[in-house]
Amino acid sequence: MTTRTFTNRLTRALRERALSLVDTGRPEGLVFLGAAAGTEIAKATGFGPLEKVCKPVIAPSALVVALRDGELGAVDTALLSATGAAYTVGDVILMLGGGHASRSVARLASGAAAFGVGHVALGALMLRSGIRPKALQMSFHGAVAGTVGGMLLREDRGNWPLATYGGMLAALSALATSVDHGRAPSASVLAVGGPVFLLSDGLILARRKVAGGSLAARALDVGVIDTYATATLLLLTGTAAAARSARGR
């Protein structure tokens, strides 16, 4: 399959995923959109109570979308569910600790640890589904992780947990972008989900440098939610599609 063909297939898969979210016959998609939109509004306006209601619903609703796309095996379901649960725990830890503006390395490290558990579970499911990392993707993501990790450590040696987490997320993104062209078309969205999750966490690092309450801070907060919700949906649904494709072989 040529790169152009894969790009066309990816574009169709993304469009179909977007349309599925507004299908009134599948309310979990509307719940996901509502949770993401509510969190964006909360971040834009600084209305904390709305965020506490909406943000913890993003990952679980994305998980339900992925599970309702089709039947999965017991182990696949367990790994996917572990990812959704870990992401939700990470969301709550960060949300209750000052959100994206938190400068507490301990708080960020705790949230990163929870997300790390989810990344490991999701990566295990990708490997179980037959996805294997490609040299080009590993090299590129390794360079990104090394650059960001070096910057964090130069800032403060105590940032090593964040640098380690960055390496873990980069490895997951490298695996996701290595999705084979022969997989189910709906699995191709992994090629977008991994990099967008990297972008989301990069925006969190940028947000720590911006004064709270400013227009730039609000814009970054909304950007983090936009990219995080998108990445979570694409990673969960794309990995589930890859798992189904592997079972059908």
Side-chain angles (χ1 to χ4, degrees):
M1 180 182 293
T2 65
T3 300
R4 181 176 181 179
T5 301
F6 179 75
T7 300
N8 290 337
R9 189 171 71 161
L10 171 60
T11 300
R12 287 196 301 272
L14 290 171
R15 183 169 57 248
E16 289 169 2
R17 174 53 60 201
L19 290 174
S20 74
L21 296 178
V22 294
D23 181 354
T24 56
R26 295 188 58 180
E28 65 274 9
L30 297 174
V31 171
F32 170 82
L33 290 175
T39 309
E40 289 169 351
I41 293 170
K43 287 296 188 183
T45 61
F47 187 54
L50 180 60
E51 180 185 3
K52 290 179 172 58
V53 170
C54 293
K55 191 177 183 184
V57 181
I58 293 175
S61 56
L63 174 63
V64 175
V65 171
L67 292 175
R68 290 196 64 187
D69 278 346
E71 185 178 354
L72 288 171
V75 175
D76 298 341
T77 299
L79 288 170
L80 201 67
S81 298
T83 300
Y87 285 4
T88 303
V89 171
D91 276 339
V92 172
I93 290 173
L94 294 179
M95 181 178 64
L96 298 181
H100 309 149
S102 176
R103 288 170 171 75
S104 168
V105 173
R107 174 70 66 170
L108 289 174
S110 296
F115 277 105
V117 171
H119 296 337
V120 169
L122 197 64
L125 182 51
M126 289 182 194
L127 291 171
R128 176 178 165 82
S129 302
I131 298 175
R132 296 294 181 266
K134 296 178 181 177
L136 178 61
Q137 280 80 354
M138 290 297 291
S139 298
F140 173 77
H141 285 84
V144 171
T147 300
V148 175
M151 292 172 57
L152 286 169
L153 292 176
R154 281 195 297 273
E155 177 185 293
D156 187 337
R157 289 289 178 181
N159 284 336
W160 67 265
L162 304 183
T164 300
Y165 168 79
M168 180 182 296
L169 177 56
L172 179 72
S173 182
L175 186 58
T177 53
S178 297
V179 61
D180 191 272
H181 290 186
R183 300 283 160 186
S186 51
S188 63
V189 299
L190 288 172
V192 175
V196 172
F197 210 122
L198 275 175
L199 173 60
S200 182
D201 280 4
L203 291 177
I204 290 178
L205 294 179
R207 174 64 180 86
R208 296 173 67 210
K209 304 295 185 180
V210 178
S214 66
L215 180 60
R218 298 267 173 103
L220 282 169
D221 280 339
V222 172
V224 169
I225 296 303
D226 283 342
T227 49
Y228 166 66
T230 299
T232 298
L233 179 71
L234 297 182
L235 284 174
L236 290 177
T237 58
T239 305
R244 293 185 188 97
S245 177
R247 288 188 74 199
R249 291 185 175 185

